[in-house]
């Protein structure tokens, strides 16, 4: 009986041990299954998120981290800059700033701001480019200058720098040079424009300024200067003064230069103080002029011979200059093509003053056809 009981007890313990082992195995399998399901769930969520992102990209949506950038871009789009410019330009005439874009050659630097203190009206210049106007459909080169005149405005008279625009109708630039001359200078200089930082550049009307410049076939060219006023302080005084003595240069070979026949020379005798005068070799005598300056105590008596010699030398230079000018003009005509000859003979100069308006002084009584010593007189004044 005892052996049978022991066998039963041993069999029970073995069965219990086996059941416990089965239970442990089942629990491990369940845990593994649960972990696998969790992993699958995460993978599915990741796949779902990836697909969602891809779907958003397909629909043109940005990821969340870029949403702020998209918003800023949307704000820029709402500004509608072209519309704003269009509205601004619609309030302006197409050539309204033309006269302001033209550099006022020869104007003293400290006077340039004074030129624009009034709201000058150059509608006559704008109208000249319209159909039926003097400049319509023509190739035109414009340069500016100023004329100091005593004018009456708002109950008082004062000297005012009046802006003037000169229009040259020509198939090619009238000149690529600038003349530098003044009563303070002993000799005239003719320099390339670019040496004085000036050049002819195309003028772009307001309505075409959004277009590419190289695609525009401009018929209007203006004389511009790229010298900045802020940079003047780095220049020598003589260089600064050169800008103020500039005159647009023009050489007309078919018109005899009045200076070719001039018998007058400028005398600036270097003494202290300097003696300045004009000497006409047809009517004046050096000795008589010296005696007058000595009598007026403008010239020391011991400087008379030196003065006379100085004047005679200037007379020789003047005669030589006249002779060379005549010869150069004849040679220029001989070397010129027929096309160039026709262009020079058909050139026209037009001078524009501001029209009368309540915003600026009336300049109608101070108009002049004279341009400068090179261009001489305009064919027509507006």
């Amino acid at each position: 009986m005892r052996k049978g009981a022991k066998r039963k007890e041993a069999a029970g313990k073995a069965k219990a041990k086996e059941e416990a082992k089965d239970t442990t195995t089942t629990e491990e399998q369940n845990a593994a299954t649960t972990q696998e399901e969790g992993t699958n769930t995460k993978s599915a969520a990741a796949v779902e998120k990836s697909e969602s992102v891809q779907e958003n990209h397909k629909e043109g949506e940005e990821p969340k981290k870029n949403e702020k950038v998209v918003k800023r871009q949307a704000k820029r789009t709402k500004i509608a800059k072209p519309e704003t410019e269009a509205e601004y330009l619609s309030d302006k005439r197409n050539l309204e700033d033309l006269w302001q874009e033209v550099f006022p050659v020869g104007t003293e630097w400290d006077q340039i701001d004074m030129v624009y203190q009034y709201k000058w009206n150059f509608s006559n210049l704008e109208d000249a480019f319209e159909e039926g106007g003097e400049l319509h459909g023509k190739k035109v080169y414009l340069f500016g200058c100023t004329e100091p005149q005593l004018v009456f405005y708002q109950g008082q008279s004062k000297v005012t720098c009046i802006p003037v625009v000169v229009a040259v109708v020509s198939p090619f630039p009238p000149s690529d040079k600038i003349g530098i001359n003044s009563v303070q200078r002993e000799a005239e200089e003719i320099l390339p424009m670019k040496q004085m930082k000036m050049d002819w550049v195309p003028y772009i009307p307001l309505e075409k300024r959004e277009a590419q410049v190289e695609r525009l076939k401009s018929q209007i060219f203006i004389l511009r200067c790229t010298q900045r006023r802020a940079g003047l302080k780095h220049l020598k005084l003589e260089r600064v003064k050169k800008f103020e003595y500039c005159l647009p240069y023009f050489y007309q070979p078919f018109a005899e230069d009045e200076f070719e026949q001039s018998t007058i020379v400028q005398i600036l005798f270097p003494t202290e103080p300097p003696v300045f005068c004009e000497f006409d070799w047809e009517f004046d005598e050096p000795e008589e002029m010296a005696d007058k300056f000595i009598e007026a105590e403008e010239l020391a008596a011991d400087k008379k011979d030196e003065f006379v010699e100085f004047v005679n030398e200037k007379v020789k230079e003047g005669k030589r200059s006249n002779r060379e000018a005549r010869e150069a003009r004849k040679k220029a005509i001989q070397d010129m093509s027929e096309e160039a000859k026709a262009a020079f003979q058909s050139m026209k100069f037009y001078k524009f003053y501001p029209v009368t308006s309540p915003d600026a002084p009336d300049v109608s009584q101070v108009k002049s056809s004279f341009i400068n010593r090179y261009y001489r007189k305009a064919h027509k004044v507006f």
Side-chain angles (χ1 to χ4, degrees), residues 350-369:
Y350 300 95
K351 191 176 181 182
F352 291 85
Y353 285 89
V355 300
T356 303
S357 73
D359 300 319
D362 181 4
V363 303
S364 58
Q365 302 303 313
V366 295
K367 293 182 179 181
S368 170
S369 62

Side-chain angles (χ1 to χ4, degrees), residues 59-70:
E59 295 177 359
E61 296 180 8
E62 294 291 330
K64 289 184 178 180
K65 64 179 182 179
N66 292 331
E67 283 181 0
K68 292 183 179 180
V69 176
V70 173

Side-chain angles (χ1 to χ4, degrees), residues 274-333:
V275 176
F276 171 77
C277 64
E278 287 186 344
F279 182 84
D280 190 330
W281 65 69
E282 282 191 350
F283 301 103
D284 298 329
E285 291 294 335
E287 292 81 2
E288 292 180 3
M289 182 168 285
D291 291 337
K292 290 179 181 179
F293 283 124
I294 291 172
E295 185 179 349
E297 297 183 351
E298 296 180 16
L299 179 68
D302 61 350
K303 292 284 186 180
K304 178 179 178 178
D305 292 342
E306 188 179 342
F307 177 82
V308 171
E309 184 179 353
F310 184 84
V311 172
N312 287 332
E313 187 61 33
K314 289 296 180 183
V315 170
K316 289 180 182 179
E317 290 178 6
K319 291 180 178 180
R320 182 171 61 252
S321 178
N322 286 359
R323 183 175 62 256
E324 291 174 352
R326 286 192 295 269
E327 292 173 355
R329 181 169 60 84
K330 291 177 182 178
K331 187 176 186 304
I333 294 175

Side-chain angles (χ1 to χ4, degrees), residues 58 156 160 165 172 230 236 254 269 283 288 318 323 334 351 361 377:
K58 290 180 180 179
Q156 60 179 346
T160 303
V165 177
F172 49 76
K236 293 182 179 180
F254 292 97
F269 183 63
F283 301 103
E288 292 180 3
R323 183 175 62 256
Q334 292 173 356
K351 191 176 181 182
K377 294 183 178 182

Side-chain angles (χ1 to χ4, degrees), residues 177-329:
K177 294 180 173 59
I178 283 287
I180 300 177
N181 203 353
S182 73
V183 294
Q184 290 86 2
R185 298 176 65 87
E186 291 187 18
E188 173 189 48
E189 284 186 88
I190 307 298
L191 301 176
M193 279 184 178
K194 292 184 178 180
Q195 191 170 324
M196 299 304 296
K197 294 191 175 183
M198 298 184 197
D199 202 0
W200 300 106
V201 299
Y203 170 78
I204 311 301
L206 291 173
E207 66 180 11
K208 296 182 179 179
R209 288 187 185 171
E210 293 301 311
Q212 294 182 3
V213 176
E214 59 271 15
R215 292 185 179 180
L216 297 173
K217 295 182 179 179
S218 180
Q219 289 288 92
I220 307 175
F221 294 84
I222 58 178
L223 188 59
R224 293 288 293 272
C225 178
T226 58
Q227 174 62 54
R228 296 177 178 272
R229 277 192 283 176
L232 294 175
K233 59 185 178 182
H234 303 297
L235 302 179
K236 293 182 179 180
L237 181 60
E238 182 182 358
R239 171 69 173 172
V240 174
K241 287 296 182 182
K242 270 190 175 182
F243 284 96
E244 299 175 0
Y245 299 148
C246 283
L247 290 175
Y249 179 79
F250 177 71
Y251 180 66
Q252 173 55 279
F254 292 97
E256 186 176 18
D257 193 336
E258 63 183 273
F259 298 101
E260 292 178 18
Q261 302 301 322
S262 175
T263 58
I264 297 175
V265 291
Q266 304 292 328
I267 304 298
L268 183 61
F269 183 63
T271 186
E272 190 58 42
V275 176
F276 171 77
C277 64
E278 287 186 344
F279 182 84
D280 190 330
W281 65 69
E282 282 191 350
F283 301 103
D284 298 329
E285 291 294 335
E287 292 81 2
E288 292 180 3
M289 182 168 285
D291 291 337
K292 290 179 181 179
F293 283 124
I294 291 172
E295 185 179 349
E297 297 183 351
E298 296 180 16
L299 179 68
D302 61 350
K303 292 284 186 180
K304 178 179 178 178
D305 292 342
E306 188 179 342
F307 177 82
V308 171
E309 184 179 353
F310 184 84
V311 172
N312 287 332
E313 187 61 33
K314 289 296 180 183
V315 170
K316 289 180 182 179
E317 290 178 6
K319 291 180 178 180
R320 182 171 61 252
S321 178
N322 286 359
R323 183 175 62 256
E324 291 174 352
R326 286 192 295 269
E327 292 173 355
R329 181 169 60 84

